[in-house]
Amino acid sequence: MSITRQHSFWGSLSPLGGLTGAGLLIMSTARLSWAVTVTGCLFWVYGLTAFTFALLSSTLGKKIFPKSGQNYLFICLASFFGSIYLLLFWLICPFAAFETFIPLMLVPLFYAVSGVSEKIISPPENPRPDVFDYVSEAVSQAAVLAALLIAFSILREPLAYCTLSFPGSSHGMVTIMYFTTGAFFPIGIFAPSAGALLLLGFFICLYQYCKNVFFREI
């Protein structure tokens, strides 16, 4: 598969190329614990939704579900698996689930506009499409966004709070690393969304420069 088809990172539909993941990058990266929680939801929703929807859209599924309503089914499945993840995480760590409630609820919406459903619904060249191909493509998109969330939060949280945290405990997060104030010039401006936009702008400029230099054909 060529790089042009593998647009999960360098393509126009990528989280940085098309800013499709900008909302999650801003809301979920103030703490590493939030990014880890949303990362788990990304893999859960993307993988299970693609697998279930691909099976229901197969030859046997088309006898049950009309083609005109498959897009609505796709959205319902993504929301269902997102709600299941939130429920399970709420039972394990209620405060951590409460802190990331809005980003977790937005994950199904991000997946609904990812374009995976259109590729499954559209008539494939192979009369018997491989479900594994759809699942692997969805998981690769989730992996790219998850890696960006983790990397962005590892840089943002120490600059904003002088800490690195992980989900857990009765308080919702556990501090796994603490930096003394002034250790490497933490700047509190990166804590709010305005600071996150500034940091995201730097990453986007770096991304566009690398793309124009090394991947001009995309």
Side-chain angles (χ1 to χ4, degrees), residues 35-87:
V36 172
T37 303
V38 176
T39 293
C41 187
L42 286 171
F43 286 107
W44 175 277
V45 172
Y46 276 52
L48 291 179
T49 305
F51 177 76
T52 305
F53 189 72
L55 288 180
L56 295 177
S57 299
S58 61
T59 304
L60 180 61
K62 291 180 180 179
K63 298 179 181 179
I64 302 175
F65 297 100
K67 184 176 181 180
S68 59
Q70 290 184 358
N71 283 324
Y72 302 102
L73 174 63
F74 180 80
I75 298 175
C76 291
L77 284 175
S79 301
F80 171 76
F81 287 117
S83 300
I84 293 297
Y85 179 87
L86 179 60
L87 176 62

Side-chain angles (χ1 to χ4, degrees), residues 125-189:
E125 297 178 358
N126 188 353
R128 300 186 64 181
D130 190 1
V131 176
F132 177 77
D133 293 337
Y134 298 129
V135 176
S136 61
E137 182 176 355
V139 172
S140 65
Q141 293 185 14
V144 170
L145 184 54
L148 290 174
L149 287 174
I150 297 298
F152 202 67
S153 62
I154 290 177
L155 177 63
R156 182 183 174 189
E157 184 178 0
L159 291 175
Y161 300 102
C162 297
T163 60
L164 280 178
S165 58
F166 202 80
S169 79
S170 58
H171 300 288
M173 65 178 65
V174 179
T175 301
I176 59 176
M177 192 173 297
Y178 180 79
F179 304 96
T180 59
T181 304
F184 51 97
F185 308 106
I187 306 174
I189 192 176

Side-chain angles (χ1 to χ4, degrees), residues 3-48:
I3 297 178
T4 302
R5 294 181 61 188
Q6 293 179 352
H7 55 75
S8 297
F9 185 75
W10 294 112
S12 59
L13 299 178
S14 64
L16 291 180
L19 295 180
T20 56
L24 288 180
L25 287 172
I26 293 174
M27 290 185 292
S28 308
T29 57
R31 297 284 190 177
L32 177 60
S33 61
W34 300 355
V36 172
T37 303
V38 176
T39 293
C41 187
L42 286 171
F43 286 107
W44 175 277
V45 172
Y46 276 52
L48 291 179

